[in-house]
């Protein structure tokens, strides 16, 4: 079945399988994720300014991750799992430090 769909050419040069991949992308693009829920929860509980700051933080994190992927750092982190573990531990320690600072 896959070979049949792959051979079916659309008038503008896209195969039926490509259209299936695009449809999956559209579905995941419009599917709300955890980031959206964090921004909405923060906005409702702490106000508009906190929600905007959270949204900007999410966007910054996504931009950093995209930049790492662009420069191949994600591939390096999968090759050197100890480096990735170190980054995760450092991130967890930062979150603990941030939580301690917000409670004090």
């Amino acid at each position: 079945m896959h070979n049949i769909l792959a051979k079916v050419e659309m008038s503008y040069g896209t195969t039926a399988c490509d259209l299936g991949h695009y449809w999956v992308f559209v579905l995941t693009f419009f599917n709300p994720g955890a980031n959206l829920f964090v921004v909405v929860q923060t906005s409702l509980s702490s106000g508009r300014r906190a929600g905007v700051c959270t949204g900007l933080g999410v966007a910054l994190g996504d931009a950093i991750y995209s930049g790492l992927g662009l420069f191949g750092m994600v591939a390096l982190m999968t090759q050197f799992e100890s480096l990735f573990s170190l980054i995760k531990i450092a991130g967890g320690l930062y979150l603990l430090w941030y939580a301690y600072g917000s409670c004090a």
Side-chain angles (χ1 to χ4, degrees):
M1 184 72 168
H2 185 287
N3 291 335
I4 294 170
L5 291 176
K7 292 180 182 179
V8 175
E9 289 286 332
M10 303 304 244
S11 61
Y12 48 89
T14 304
T15 64
C17 286
D18 290 337
L19 291 177
H21 288 91
Y22 295 138
W23 180 245
V24 170
F25 172 75
V26 168
L27 284 177
T28 57
F29 182 76
F30 289 113
N31 187 14
N35 291 339
L36 175 69
F37 293 125
V38 167
V39 172
V40 170
Q41 178 186 8
T42 304
S43 297
L44 291 175
S45 66
S46 301
R48 182 178 181 182
R49 179 178 166 92
V52 168
C53 289
T54 303
L56 290 174
V58 166
L60 178 64
D62 288 344
I64 290 171
Y65 188 73
S66 298
L68 290 174
L70 179 66
F71 294 114
M73 294 300 290
V74 173
L76 284 175
M77 282 192 270
T78 57
Q79 292 296 321
F80 301 104
E81 293 178 12
S82 59
L83 174 66
F84 187 55
S85 296
L86 184 65
I87 291 172
K88 289 193 294 186
I89 290 170
L93 290 174
Y94 168 74
L95 289 175
L96 289 172
W97 174 77
Y98 186 74
Y100 177 75
S102 67
C103 291

